[in-house]
Amino acid sequence: MKNNQENLQSIYKSFQLPKNDERLEKLKDSAYSKVLVITEDWCGDAMMNIPILKHISEKLNIEARAFHRDDELT
């Protein structure tokens, strides 16, 4: 991200995953190993959610890749 990079990094640094969260345990026990994120630099929702997803993917060793929506319009 370029437009919201500073805000995204700030959210990432300040966010902590909850301890003993049942939802994380369910994901951990599932067969999920990859996440596809369709996003854009200007998207405020992405700025808020991608840092959280990054924490989850790091904790659970899930590969997460982002694709820019506006690059694939055709």
Side-chain angles (χ1 to χ4, degrees), residues 6-53:
E6 189 174 310
N7 290 335
L8 185 140
Q9 290 174 339
S10 175
I11 293 165
Y12 179 80
K13 289 175 185 174
S14 66
F15 180 80
Q16 292 184 3
L17 288 172
K19 295 184 185 338
N20 303 320
D21 191 306
E22 183 179 309
R23 297 167 295 181
L24 292 175
E25 292 302 317
K26 285 182 181 178
L27 277 173
K28 183 177 169 183
D29 294 338
S30 73
Y32 293 115
S33 63
K34 294 177 174 49
V35 174
L36 167 65
V37 179
I38 300 172
T39 189
E40 261 316 316
D41 197 31
W42 46 260
C43 180
D45 288 337
M47 177 190 69
M48 297 297 294
N49 290 298
I50 288 176
I52 296 168
L53 176 61

Side-chain angles (χ1 to χ4, degrees), residues 45-70:
D45 288 337
M47 177 190 69
M48 297 297 294
N49 290 298
I50 288 176
I52 296 168
L53 176 61
K54 183 164 172 47
H55 276 286
I56 292 169
S57 67
E58 290 170 347
K59 178 174 177 72
L60 302 180
N61 198 29
I62 296 173
E63 179 183 358
R65 292 190 181 200
F67 294 86
H68 294 122
R69 183 197 73 118
D70 291 350

